[in-house]
Amino acid sequence: MNSGDDIAGTIHALGSTVSDFHVGQRVAAFHRMLAPHGAYAEYAVAPAHTVFHIPDSTSFEEAATLPLITLNASVSLFRRQTLPPPWSPLLPNSTSLPLIIYGASSSLGAFAIKLALKSNIHPIIAICGSSRAYISTLLSPEKGDAIIDYCQGPEIMKRDVRAALGEENSKRARHALDAISSKGSWVPLAQLVGQPGGDGGVVSVVSGANRYNEPEIPSSVQIVYTYVGTAHEGAYKPKMPKQPAAGPEDVKADIDFAFLMCRYLGRMLARGEFEGHPVRVVPGGLGGVEEGLRALKGGKAEGRKFVYRIGEVEGVAR
């Protein structure tokens, strides 16, 4: 099945009920996952509500880094965690709203940071390893943002996070995003947002392969799995872990949220207020997919998204 989910190109044809796009427009889109007609082809199909305009100043390669990961980050922060969205940011004199992001140098972590900044959320505690050059350009140390190294183990990491937050913000910390969700990475995050004797926090996780039931997780903390497919389906699959307590009716609204987010994303791009992720264009079109997968498996992404140009596939008309 051709299920590539990040698309950028020009509109070739429209469905009969589509009214806010026209043939020839430059767009990017989030393809419905595990459905036919994905991105690994000369022509692809996407629902209109997860399509957005891209300006001439945004290349197709950059635009292709945006759709899925932006929606994944925004559903995590603004739907599952109910943080204020970018179109209704915190006022400048608002009480601080700490956000802890583990795996901050990943594409998901970086986009979560960029969206949180648009919502005026600070301090942002970005936890990552050595690939931090790009992340450091996004943060605002004067507003309390900080980078924390996870390489020395969870106990030192937690100590350093609390030191970066300070006493008051440590007590106020209730929100965390685990952009990696592997090998128990969510456990120390839960311990950071689960204050003894206080209200529990929320940790968003992004892998459906775990159960998230470790006894070390404070009982007051909610672990909530983000399934970005709710942007299309408005529902989780029955056996997915840690579905939101708000229930199925709330999840249905993810479809309308995705529509709003995609339209707002197009607006931010047109204004020069948002950007894609650093990219590495893998040569050879689809013939380079294997090379890209090997590089990802070998940990050689180095904070970049891999992009393939369909026009470089042998036999495709230029």
Side-chain angles (χ1 to χ4, degrees):
M1 177 180 291
N2 169 19
S3 61
D5 297 320
D6 284 309
I7 305 165
T10 56
I11 295 176
H12 177 75
L14 298 168
S16 60
T17 61
V18 177
S19 60
D20 44 356
F21 295 98
H22 60 75
V23 171
Q25 279 186 314
R26 304 176 79 251
V27 295
F30 175 33
H31 166 261
R32 186 167 184 159
M33 296 189 298
L34 300 178
H37 312 300
Y40 294 155
E42 191 174 1
Y43 296 94
V45 178
H49 79 281
T50 53
V51 177
F52 54 92
H53 298 104
I54 57 174
D56 291 341
S57 56
T58 300
S59 69
F60 289 133
E61 291 82 1
E62 179 184 353
T65 71
L66 289 163
L68 186 155
I69 209 70
T70 302
L71 283 170
N72 202 352
S74 60
V75 168
S76 294
L77 297 180
F78 311 129
R79 294 291 295 146
R80 302 290 84 87
Q81 300 240 10
T82 66
L83 291 166
W87 50 84
S88 184
L90 290 173
L91 296 175
N93 59 349
S94 297
T95 302
S96 61
L97 182 56
L99 174 62
I100 302 169
I101 299 176
Y102 183 92
S105 61
S106 68
S107 56
L108 176 56
F111 275 86
I113 290 172
K114 289 190 278 191
L115 290 167
L117 292 173
K118 290 298 177 186
S119 296
N120 196 31
I121 293 171
H122 296 281
I124 297 170
I125 305 301
I127 303 173
C128 58
S130 58
S131 299
R132 61 181 63 183
Y134 178 63
I135 297 304
S136 65
T137 68
L138 303 176
L139 299 175
S140 299
E142 71 278 6
K143 296 181 180 180
D145 300 347
I147 294 176
I148 302 297
D149 192 341
Y150 61 60
C151 295
Q152 298 185 69
E155 293 305 316
I156 293 177
M157 182 191 79
K158 288 190 294 182
R159 180 202 67 188
D160 291 348
V161 168
R162 292 187 179 112
L165 284 171
E167 184 176 357
E168 287 304 312
N169 278 328
S170 290
K171 293 177 181 178
R172 204 174 282 135
R174 291 292 183 275
H175 300 277
L177 167 63
D178 185 350
I180 305 299
S181 303
S182 176
K183 299 179 181 178
S185 52
W186 53 89
V187 173
L189 298 182
Q191 293 166 346
L192 284 165
V193 301
Q195 304 297 327
D199 296 333
V202 183
V203 178
S204 289
V205 293
V206 294
S207 171
N210 308 304
R211 304 320 302 171
Y212 306 106
N213 56 4
E214 288 80 1
E216 298 87 357
I217 296 174
S219 59
S220 61
V221 174
Q222 296 181 61
I223 306 292
V224 183
Y225 169 52
T226 298
Y227 169 50
V228 70
T230 60
H232 288 138
E233 301 167 28
Y236 282 72
K237 305 295 185 185
K239 294 184 179 181
M240 287 180 170
K242 298 298 180 181
Q243 300 183 25
E249 287 301 315
D250 181 70
V251 177
K252 285 182 182 178
D254 287 359
I255 297 173
D256 288 338
F257 173 81
F259 170 82
L260 290 171
M261 190 67 225
C262 285
R263 296 303 179 270
Y264 197 75
L265 179 55
R267 185 180 187 184
M268 288 193 292
L269 291 171
R271 291 177 168 181
E273 298 173 352
F274 205 75
E275 63 181 11
H277 201 66
V279 302
R280 171 186 166 188
V281 177
V282 181
L286 297 183
V289 170
E290 183 178 353
E291 174 189 342
L293 290 173
R294 284 199 304 267
L296 285 173
K297 186 176 181 179
K300 297 179 180 178
E302 297 176 338
R304 295 172 295 173
K305 291 276 281 186
F306 291 176
V307 173
Y308 307 92
R309 295 182 176 127
I310 299 300
E312 293 184 0
V313 176
E314 185 176 352
V316 171
R318 302 300 196 271

